[in-house]
Amino acid sequence: MSLHRPKFKLRTKIIAWSFIPTAIILLLVATMIYLAYQQETERVVINRDRELALARRPAVYNGTVDQQREALEKSKNRLVFFDGGVYLLNNLGGLIAAQPNDPALIGQDWSDRTFFESMVRSPGLFISNIENEGPYGEQVITMAVPILGENDEFKGVAAGMYRLESTPASSLYGNLLKLRIGQGGKAYVVDGHETILFATDTNQIGSRFSSHPVAQQALQGEVDATRSIAQDGSDIVAGYAPVPRTQWTLVVEQDWDELVRQGQGYRRFL
């Protein structure tokens, strides 16, 4: 028995060490997702939250309707990032001001909008999924903040909207275009309805993510990485993580061969 034990130990070591590169790569991909993408998405959220700072101006939370409209008009140059417009609602969900201004919208009841209902339940920064809640029923992504009085009483909502577009001129997609890894990597941002709101292949925007090989694992709200087979048959590593303060998920996909290329010398040694 002792004669075979060294061979058994050597075989065990070789098998064990052959799995270590895979474990390391998966760990690095998951860590990269968590650190780099969380930092970038939080920066985007913080910057857009600052653009809606008009909700904290006295003219907005403590002024007349005319003063609120004037404050929104004066802020329009800072609000151009919201290509779907910016809107002020009162505490009942009535639309009181819009930028760009459209008199036909003023007075509409938006109390059934997802962002307003969420704000009533829990006032705070809210970022929606893709919803048909644009001013004319179009698909938009909404970022909203509460309008609070001096004693934190709820006085309404300030909401900025992004259109569902994939052009580089779009502020939202201009930021999300940074979610690209390597030369052959792909990136996706998936909303809470499992709809792709961004992809490096812009033809996929608006389609369902459920057909992706790691969809089931990725949409569980965890940070992880998985080796899988892509729809085209290639060997990939897909990393995923939730986007802070949203129902979104970030997914990146990298070719396995590209990731392990630097380890070829190690493999030959084994």
Side-chain angles (χ1 to χ4, degrees), residues 148-175:
L148 302 176
E150 295 178 350
N151 298 316
D152 289 336
E153 66 272 25
F154 179 70
K155 290 199 168 185
V157 175
M161 296 183 179
Y162 295 103
R163 295 179 184 143
L164 189 61
E165 295 179 348
S166 58
T167 63
S170 167
S171 173
L172 176 66
Y173 289 97
N175 284 290

PDB file of all heavy atoms in Angstrom, residues 148-175:
ATOM      1  N   LEU A 148     -39.618  67.428   0.508  1.00  0.00           N
ATOM      2  CA  LEU A 148     -39.935  67.407   1.934  1.00  0.00           C
ATOM      3  C   LEU A 148     -39.901  68.815   2.514  1.00  0.00           C
ATOM      4  O   LEU A 148     -39.020  69.614   2.170  1.00  0.00           O
ATOM      5  CB  LEU A 148     -38.940  66.516   2.701  1.00  0.00           C
ATOM      6  CG  LEU A 148     -38.860  65.057   2.248  1.00  0.00           C
ATOM      7  CD1 LEU A 148     -37.761  64.319   3.018  1.00  0.00           C
ATOM      8  CD2 LEU A 148     -40.204  64.354   2.440  1.00  0.00           C
ATOM      9  N   GLY A 149     -40.847  69.112   3.408  1.00  0.00           N
ATOM     10  CA  GLY A 149     -40.894  70.407   4.062  1.00  0.00           C
ATOM     11  C   GLY A 149     -39.850  70.537   5.151  1.00  0.00           C
ATOM     12  O   GLY A 149     -39.041  69.633   5.385  1.00  0.00           O
ATOM     13  N   GLU A 150     -39.863  71.660   5.838  1.00  0.00           N
ATOM     14  CA  GLU A 150     -38.871  71.926   6.876  1.00  0.00           C
ATOM     15  C   GLU A 150     -38.949  70.912   8.007  1.00  0.00           C
ATOM     16  O   GLU A 150     -37.947  70.649   8.689  1.00  0.00           O
ATOM     17  CB  GLU A 150     -39.056  73.347   7.420  1.00  0.00           C
ATOM     18  CG  GLU A 150     -38.767  74.431   6.373  1.00  0.00           C
ATOM     19  CD  GLU A 150     -38.991  75.833   6.904  1.00  0.00           C
ATOM     20  OE1 GLU A 150     -39.547  75.954   8.021  1.00  0.00           O
ATOM     21  OE2 GLU A 150     -38.632  76.807   6.213  1.00  0.00           O
ATOM     22  N   ASN A 151     -40.101  70.345   8.222  1.00  0.00           N
ATOM     23  CA  ASN A 151     -40.282  69.333   9.270  1.00  0.00           C
ATOM     24  C   ASN A 151     -40.390  67.929   8.679  1.00  0.00           C
ATOM     25  O   ASN A 151     -40.987  67.037   9.288  1.00  0.00           O
ATOM     26  CB  ASN A 151     -41.528  69.653  10.100  1.00  0.00           C
ATOM     27  CG  ASN A 151     -41.409  70.981  10.818  1.00  0.00           C
ATOM     28  OD1 ASN A 151     -40.369  71.289  11.403  1.00  0.00           O
ATOM     29  ND2 ASN A 151     -42.468  71.782  10.766  1.00  0.00           N
ATOM     30  N   ASP A 152     -39.827  67.759   7.488  1.00  0.00           N
ATOM     31  CA  ASP A 152     -39.808  66.481   6.785  1.00  0.00           C
ATOM     32  C   ASP A 152     -41.191  65.986   6.376  1.00  0.00           C
ATOM     33  O   ASP A 152     -41.384  64.791   6.141  1.00  0.00           O
ATOM     34  CB  ASP A 152     -39.097  65.397   7.620  1.00  0.00           C
ATOM     35  CG  ASP A 152     -37.595  65.626   7.689  1.00  0.00           C
ATOM     36  OD1 ASP A 152     -37.057  66.275   6.786  1.00  0.00           O
ATOM     37  OD2 ASP A 152     -36.975  65.155   8.666  1.00  0.00           O
ATOM     38  N   GLU A 153     -42.151  66.880   6.300  1.00  0.00           N
ATOM     39  CA  GLU A 153     -43.467  66.473   5.819  1.00  0.00           C
ATOM     40  C   GLU A 153     -43.420  66.290   4.302  1.00  0.00           C
ATOM     41  O   GLU A 153     -42.732  67.031   3.595  1.00  0.00           O
ATOM     42  CB  GLU A 153     -44.548  67.489   6.209  1.00  0.00           C
ATOM     43  CG  GLU A 153     -44.439  68.857   5.572  1.00  0.00           C
ATOM     44  CD  GLU A 153     -43.555  69.825   6.370  1.00  0.00           C
ATOM     45  OE1 GLU A 153     -42.675  69.356   7.117  1.00  0.00           O
ATOM     46  OE2 GLU A 153     -43.741  71.050   6.207  1.00  0.00           O
ATOM     47  N   PHE A 154     -44.134  65.300   3.813  1.00  0.00           N
ATOM     48  CA  PHE A 154     -44.132  64.963   2.392  1.00  0.00           C
ATOM     49  C   PHE A 154     -44.954  65.989   1.615  1.00  0.00           C
ATOM     50  O   PHE A 154     -46.145  66.154   1.855  1.00  0.00           O
ATOM     51  CB  PHE A 154     -44.706  63.562   2.183  1.00  0.00           C
ATOM     52  CG  PHE A 154     -44.769  63.129   0.748  1.00  0.00           C
ATOM     53  CD1 PHE A 154     -43.614  62.854   0.033  1.00  0.00           C
ATOM     54  CD2 PHE A 154     -45.994  62.983   0.097  1.00  0.00           C
ATOM     55  CE1 PHE A 154     -43.668  62.450  -1.301  1.00  0.00           C
ATOM     56  CE2 PHE A 154     -46.057  62.577  -1.222  1.00  0.00           C
ATOM     57  CZ  PHE A 154     -44.884  62.319  -1.922  1.00  0.00           C
ATOM     58  N   LYS A 155     -44.286  66.668   0.648  1.00  0.00           N
ATOM     59  CA  LYS A 155     -44.961  67.702  -0.115  1.00  0.00           C
ATOM     60  C   LYS A 155     -45.035  67.411  -1.603  1.00  0.00           C
ATOM     61  O   LYS A 155     -45.637  68.187  -2.358  1.00  0.00           O
ATOM     62  CB  LYS A 155     -44.272  69.045   0.106  1.00  0.00           C
ATOM     63  CG  LYS A 155     -44.484  69.603   1.511  1.00  0.00           C
ATOM     64  CD  LYS A 155     -44.198  71.087   1.555  1.00  0.00           C
ATOM     65  CE  LYS A 155     -44.678  71.718   2.841  1.00  0.00           C
ATOM     66  NZ  LYS A 155     -44.518  73.194   2.843  1.00  0.00           N
ATOM     67  N   GLY A 156     -44.417  66.331  -2.021  1.00  0.00           N
ATOM     68  CA  GLY A 156     -44.479  65.994  -3.434  1.00  0.00           C
ATOM     69  C   GLY A 156     -43.245  65.245  -3.889  1.00  0.00           C
ATOM     70  O   GLY A 156     -42.480  64.711  -3.092  1.00  0.00           O
ATOM     71  N   VAL A 157     -43.061  65.229  -5.210  1.00  0.00           N
ATOM     72  CA  VAL A 157     -41.982  64.449  -5.809  1.00  0.00           C
ATOM     73  C   VAL A 157     -41.362  65.231  -6.956  1.00  0.00           C
ATOM     74  O   VAL A 157     -42.070  65.888  -7.728  1.00  0.00           O
ATOM     75  CB  VAL A 157     -42.517  63.095  -6.348  1.00  0.00           C
ATOM     76  CG1 VAL A 157     -41.422  62.336  -7.090  1.00  0.00           C
ATOM     77  CG2 VAL A 157     -43.071  62.245  -5.217  1.00  0.00           C
ATOM     78  N   ALA A 158     -40.038  65.149  -7.067  1.00  0.00           N
ATOM     79  CA  ALA A 158     -39.322  65.620  -8.244  1.00  0.00           C
ATOM     80  C   ALA A 158     -38.824  64.388  -8.985  1.00  0.00           C
ATOM     81  O   ALA A 158     -38.151  63.539  -8.401  1.00  0.00           O
ATOM     82  CB  ALA A 158     -38.158  66.518  -7.852  1.00  0.00           C
ATOM     83  N   ALA A 159     -39.175  64.274 -10.262  1.00  0.00           N
ATOM     84  CA  ALA A 159     -38.851  63.072 -11.032  1.00  0.00           C
ATOM     85  C   ALA A 159     -38.170  63.436 -12.342  1.00  0.00           C
ATOM     86  O   ALA A 159     -38.659  64.280 -13.100  1.00  0.00           O
ATOM     87  CB  ALA A 159     -40.122  62.269 -11.313  1.00  0.00           C
ATOM     88  N   GLY A 160     -37.025  62.808 -12.601  1.00  0.00           N
ATOM     89  CA  GLY A 160     -36.332  62.954 -13.873  1.00  0.00           C
ATOM     90  C   GLY A 160     -36.419  61.652 -14.639  1.00  0.00           C
ATOM     91  O   GLY A 160     -36.312  60.572 -14.051  1.00  0.00           O
ATOM     92  N   MET A 161     -36.613  61.720 -15.950  1.00  0.00           N
ATOM     93  CA  MET A 161     -36.826  60.510 -16.746  1.00  0.00           C
ATOM     94  C   MET A 161     -35.794  60.372 -17.857  1.00  0.00           C
ATOM     95  O   MET A 161     -35.358  61.365 -18.449  1.00  0.00           O
ATOM     96  CB  MET A 161     -38.231  60.521 -17.367  1.00  0.00           C
ATOM     97  CG  MET A 161     -39.347  60.468 -16.345  1.00  0.00           C
ATOM     98  SD  MET A 161     -40.993  60.407 -17.116  1.00  0.00           S
ATOM     99  CE  MET A 161     -42.026  60.319 -15.646  1.00  0.00           C
ATOM    100  N   TYR A 162     -35.396  59.116 -18.083  1.00  0.00           N
ATOM    101  CA  TYR A 162     -34.524  58.761 -19.206  1.00  0.00           C
ATOM    102  C   TYR A 162     -35.338  57.971 -20.220  1.00  0.00           C
ATOM    103  O   TYR A 162     -36.061  57.045 -19.853  1.00  0.00           O
ATOM    104  CB  TYR A 162     -33.365  57.881 -18.745  1.00  0.00           C
ATOM    105  CG  TYR A 162     -32.389  58.532 -17.804  1.00  0.00           C
ATOM    106  CD1 TYR A 162     -32.428  58.254 -16.442  1.00  0.00           C
ATOM    107  CD2 TYR A 162     -31.407  59.397 -18.279  1.00  0.00           C
ATOM    108  CE1 TYR A 162     -31.518  58.828 -15.575  1.00  0.00           C
ATOM    109  CE2 TYR A 162     -30.492  59.970 -17.417  1.00  0.00           C
ATOM    110  CZ  TYR A 162     -30.548  59.690 -16.064  1.00  0.00           C
ATOM    111  OH  TYR A 162     -29.650  60.246 -15.207  1.00  0.00           O
ATOM    112  N   ARG A 163     -35.172  58.316 -21.477  1.00  0.00           N
ATOM    113  CA  ARG A 163     -35.801  57.528 -22.533  1.00  0.00           C
ATOM    114  C   ARG A 163     -35.028  56.236 -22.744  1.00  0.00           C
ATOM    115  O   ARG A 163     -33.830  56.165 -22.483  1.00  0.00           O
ATOM    116  CB  ARG A 163     -35.838  58.314 -23.838  1.00  0.00           C
ATOM    117  CG  ARG A 163     -36.714  59.550 -23.780  1.00  0.00           C
ATOM    118  CD  ARG A 163     -36.671  60.286 -25.099  1.00  0.00           C
ATOM    119  NE  ARG A 163     -37.435  61.522 -25.044  1.00  0.00           N
ATOM    120  CZ  ARG A 163     -37.074  62.649 -25.644  1.00  0.00           C
ATOM    121  NH1 ARG A 163     -35.950  62.677 -26.347  1.00  0.00           N
ATOM    122  NH2 ARG A 163     -37.817  63.725 -25.549  1.00  0.00           N
ATOM    123  N   LEU A 164     -35.723  55.233 -23.244  1.00  0.00           N
ATOM    124  CA  LEU A 164     -35.087  53.949 -23.530  1.00  0.00           C
ATOM    125  C   LEU A 164     -34.434  54.031 -24.899  1.00  0.00           C
ATOM    126  O   LEU A 164     -34.966  53.591 -25.902  1.00  0.00           O
ATOM    127  CB  LEU A 164     -36.113  52.816 -23.493  1.00  0.00           C
ATOM    128  CG  LEU A 164     -35.532  51.404 -23.571  1.00  0.00           C
ATOM    129  CD1 LEU A 164     -34.609  51.127 -22.399  1.00  0.00           C
ATOM    130  CD2 LEU A 164     -36.638  50.373 -23.629  1.00  0.00           C
ATOM    131  N   GLU A 165     -33.232  54.605 -24.923  1.00  0.00           N
ATOM    132  CA  GLU A 165     -32.491  54.781 -26.153  1.00  0.00           C
ATOM    133  C   GLU A 165     -31.082  54.237 -25.979  1.00  0.00           C
ATOM    134  O   GLU A 165     -30.580  54.129 -24.865  1.00  0.00           O
ATOM    135  CB  GLU A 165     -32.422  56.262 -26.546  1.00  0.00           C
ATOM    136  CG  GLU A 165     -33.769  56.884 -26.877  1.00  0.00           C
ATOM    137  CD  GLU A 165     -33.652  58.349 -27.224  1.00  0.00           C
ATOM    138  OE1 GLU A 165     -32.579  58.935 -26.985  1.00  0.00           O
ATOM    139  OE2 GLU A 165     -34.637  58.912 -27.731  1.00  0.00           O
ATOM    140  N   SER A 166     -30.440  53.887 -27.075  1.00  0.00           N
ATOM    141  CA  SER A 166     -29.092  53.330 -27.015  1.00  0.00           C
ATOM    142  C   SER A 166     -28.075  54.221 -27.731  1.00  0.00           C
ATOM    143  O   SER A 166     -26.971  53.789 -28.023  1.00  0.00           O
ATOM    144  CB  SER A 166     -29.072  51.942 -27.664  1.00  0.00           C
ATOM    145  OG  SER A 166     -29.519  52.016 -29.003  1.00  0.00           O
ATOM    146  N   THR A 167     -28.444  55.454 -28.008  1.00  0.00           N
ATOM    147  CA  THR A 167     -27.525  56.344 -28.715  1.00  0.00           C
ATOM    148  C   THR A 167     -26.473  56.881 -27.754  1.00  0.00           C
ATOM    149  O   THR A 167     -26.748  57.103 -26.575  1.00  0.00           O
ATOM    150  CB  THR A 167     -28.294  57.523 -29.328  1.00  0.00           C
ATOM    151  OG1 THR A 167     -28.881  58.291 -28.276  1.00  0.00           O
ATOM    152  CG2 THR A 167     -29.387  57.035 -30.258  1.00  0.00           C
ATOM    153  N   PRO A 168     -25.250  57.107 -28.245  1.00  0.00           N
ATOM    154  CA  PRO A 168     -24.195  57.657 -27.395  1.00  0.00           C
ATOM    155  C   PRO A 168     -24.560  59.009 -26.797  1.00  0.00           C
ATOM    156  O   PRO A 168     -24.017  59.407 -25.775  1.00  0.00           O
ATOM    157  CB  PRO A 168     -23.002  57.781 -28.348  1.00  0.00           C
ATOM    158  CG  PRO A 168     -23.270  56.800 -29.437  1.00  0.00           C
ATOM    159  CD  PRO A 168     -24.768  56.787 -29.591  1.00  0.00           C
ATOM    160  N   ALA A 169     -25.485  59.741 -27.438  1.00  0.00           N
ATOM    161  CA  ALA A 169     -25.886  61.043 -26.929  1.00  0.00           C
ATOM    162  C   ALA A 169     -26.716  60.928 -25.658  1.00  0.00           C
ATOM    163  O   ALA A 169     -26.867  61.894 -24.918  1.00  0.00           O
ATOM    164  CB  ALA A 169     -26.675  61.799 -27.997  1.00  0.00           C
ATOM    165  N   SER A 170     -27.279  59.761 -25.394  1.00  0.00           N
ATOM    166  CA  SER A 170     -28.080  59.558 -24.191  1.00  0.00           C
ATOM    167  C   SER A 170     -27.183  59.588 -22.956  1.00  0.00           C
ATOM    168  O   SER A 170     -26.162  58.910 -22.900  1.00  0.00           O
ATOM    169  CB  SER A 170     -28.808  58.214 -24.264  1.00  0.00           C
ATOM    170  OG  SER A 170     -29.342  57.873 -23.001  1.00  0.00           O
ATOM    171  N   SER A 171     -27.578  60.389 -21.970  1.00  0.00           N
ATOM    172  CA  SER A 171     -26.778  60.495 -20.747  1.00  0.00           C
ATOM    173  C   SER A 171     -26.677  59.165 -20.026  1.00  0.00           C
ATOM    174  O   SER A 171     -25.606  58.754 -19.583  1.00  0.00           O
ATOM    175  CB  SER A 171     -27.403  61.539 -19.816  1.00  0.00           C
ATOM    176  OG  SER A 171     -26.757  61.549 -18.565  1.00  0.00           O
ATOM    177  N   LEU A 172     -27.794  58.472 -19.918  1.00  0.00           N
ATOM    178  CA  LEU A 172     -27.807  57.192 -19.209  1.00  0.00           C
ATOM    179  C   LEU A 172     -26.884  56.191 -19.883  1.00  0.00           C
ATOM    180  O   LEU A 172     -26.034  55.573 -19.243  1.00  0.00           O
ATOM    181  CB  LEU A 172     -29.228  56.637 -19.165  1.00  0.00           C
ATOM    182  CG  LEU A 172     -29.373  55.249 -18.536  1.00  0.00           C
ATOM    183  CD1 LEU A 172     -29.033  55.297 -17.053  1.00  0.00           C
ATOM    184  CD2 LEU A 172     -30.780  54.712 -18.732  1.00  0.00           C
ATOM    185  N   TYR A 173     -27.007  56.044 -21.189  1.00  0.00           N
ATOM    186  CA  TYR A 173     -26.207  55.049 -21.891  1.00  0.00           C
ATOM    187  C   TYR A 173     -24.761  55.488 -22.046  1.00  0.00           C
ATOM    188  O   TYR A 173     -23.860  54.664 -22.147  1.00  0.00           O
ATOM    189  CB  TYR A 173     -26.848  54.721 -23.241  1.00  0.00           C
ATOM    190  CG  TYR A 173     -28.115  53.945 -23.053  1.00  0.00           C
ATOM    191  CD1 TYR A 173     -29.348  54.577 -23.071  1.00  0.00           C
ATOM    192  CD2 TYR A 173     -28.073  52.588 -22.802  1.00  0.00           C
ATOM    193  CE1 TYR A 173     -30.523  53.869 -22.850  1.00  0.00           C
ATOM    194  CE2 TYR A 173     -29.237  51.879 -22.590  1.00  0.00           C
ATOM    195  CZ  TYR A 173     -30.467  52.522 -22.615  1.00  0.00           C
ATOM    196  OH  TYR A 173     -31.614  51.812 -22.383  1.00  0.00           O
ATOM    197  N   GLY A 174     -24.531  56.809 -22.026  1.00  0.00           N
ATOM    198  CA  GLY A 174     -23.163  57.291 -22.051  1.00  0.00           C
ATOM    199  C   GLY A 174     -22.385  56.812 -20.838  1.00  0.00           C
ATOM    200  O   GLY A 174     -21.209  56.461 -20.919  1.00  0.00           O
ATOM    201  N   ASN A 175     -23.044  56.774 -19.686  1.00  0.00           N
ATOM    202  CA  ASN A 175     -22.403  56.268 -18.474  1.00  0.00           C
ATOM    203  C   ASN A 175     -22.316  54.751 -18.480  1.00  0.00           C
ATOM    204  O   ASN A 175     -21.304  54.167 -18.098  1.00  0.00           O
ATOM    205  CB  ASN A 175     -23.175  56.734 -17.231  1.00  0.00           C
ATOM    206  CG  ASN A 175     -22.918  58.183 -16.900  1.00  0.00           C
ATOM    207  OD1 ASN A 175     -21.840  58.563 -16.481  1.00  0.00           O
ATOM    208  ND2 ASN A 175     -23.926  59.011 -17.096  1.00  0.00           N
TER     209      ASN A 175
END
